[in-house]
């Protein structure tokens, strides 16, 4: 690629996965976004009773942060229905030739993206990616019950007599 210089970069517009209207908040999460700031804004918006939906969108390195924000909101506000959609966001890069006779190159990069819809109102359960409110609470309860170890009695490993006898053994071996 030493014969080319990076030129224009364009983000290909895609139609939104979920419909956004006046009863919906569209949250765009970037890799540099602070979760505290995102959650503060979103929680203030959700307090409004007329707001029924919130959509979390993120791509690339921001996917994990997007999922984290949605999960935090589900924990704080019980009864939210969820639909998750995965897709690719396309970026077109154009490379200009440094030498005459070479053609301009177009490179397409597909970056993974996620959109998570959280709704106070029930959603279509037959939609792929749907999660009912509290659908994993029973799972986590059963997991924690299975992993609880049996209670063990405390044992005293070191008694005063045992410590004194260990000191005596160390002093005897150092004298010889």
């Amino acid at each position: 690629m030493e014969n080319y210089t990076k030129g224009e970069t364009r983000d290909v517009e895609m139609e939104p996965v979920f419909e956004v209207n006046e009863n919906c908040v569209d949250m765009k999460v970037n890799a540099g976004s602070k979760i505290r700031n995102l959650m503060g804004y979103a929680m203030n918006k959700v307090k409004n009773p007329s707001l029924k939906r919130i959509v979390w969108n993120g791509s690339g390195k921001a996917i994990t942060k997007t999922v984290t924000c949605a999960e935090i909101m589900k924990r704080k506000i019980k009864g939210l229905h969820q639909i998750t959609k995965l897709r690719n966001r396309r970026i077109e890069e154009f490379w200009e030739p440094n030498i005459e006779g070479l053609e301009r190159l177009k490179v397409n990069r597909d970056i993974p993206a996620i959109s998570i819809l959280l709704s106070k109102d029930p959603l279509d359960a037959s939609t792929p990616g749907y999660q009912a409110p509290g659908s994993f609470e029973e799972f986590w309860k059963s997991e924690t019950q299975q992993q609880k170890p049996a209670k063990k009695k405390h044992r005293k490993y070191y008694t005063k007599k045992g410590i004194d006898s260990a000191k005596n053994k160390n002093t005897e071996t150092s004298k010889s």
Side-chain angles (χ1 to χ4, degrees), residues 14 19 34 56-57 61 67 82 92 94 131 139 141 145-146 154 159 169:
M14 298 171 40
E19 181 184 330
K34 301 272 188 243
W56 294 92
N57 294 302
K61 294 179 181 179
V67 172
Q82 174 181 336
E92 294 178 344
F94 293 95
Q131 289 181 18
F139 171 76
K141 285 178 186 175
Q145 288 173 354
Q146 290 175 359
H154 286 345
T159 59
K169 286 181 184 176

Side-chain angles (χ1 to χ4, degrees), residues 103-148:
E103 293 183 15
R104 181 181 189 202
L105 295 178
K106 176 183 165 188
V107 177
N108 291 326
R109 285 191 303 141
D110 288 335
I111 298 172
I114 191 167
S115 294
I116 302 171
L117 169 66
L118 298 177
S119 175
K120 294 177 183 177
D121 296 333
L123 300 170
D124 184 12
S126 64
T127 305
Y130 174 77
Q131 289 181 18
S135 59
F136 284 102
E137 288 177 9
E138 288 300 319
F139 171 76
W140 289 116
K141 285 178 186 175
S142 65
E143 282 290 312
T144 55
Q145 288 173 354
Q146 290 175 359
Q147 293 179 355
K148 282 186 182 176

Side-chain angles (χ1 to χ4, degrees), residues 22-38:
E22 66 275 349
N23 295 335
C24 183
V25 175
D26 189 24
M27 298 293 295
K28 296 197 185 319
V29 180
N30 295 319
S33 300
K34 301 272 188 243
I35 292 177
R36 181 180 338 137
N37 297 341
L38 293 166

Side-chain angles (χ1 to χ4, degrees), residues 35-85:
I35 292 177
R36 181 180 338 137
N37 297 341
L38 293 166
M39 292 306 300
Y41 179 80
M43 293 305 282
N44 284 337
K45 289 290 190 179
V46 170
K47 287 178 185 175
N48 183 354
S50 67
L51 184 88
K52 300 293 182 192
R53 298 174 155 201
I54 186 163
V55 178
W56 294 92
N57 294 302
S59 63
K61 294 179 181 179
I63 287 179
T64 54
K65 199 171 282 192
T66 305
V67 172
T68 300
C69 289
E71 291 297 324
I72 290 171
M73 181 159 276
K74 282 174 33 180
R75 289 232 175 179
K76 289 187 176 189
I77 302 171
K78 301 292 182 192
L80 291 177
H81 297 262
Q82 174 181 336
I83 295 179
T84 304
K85 299 277 185 183

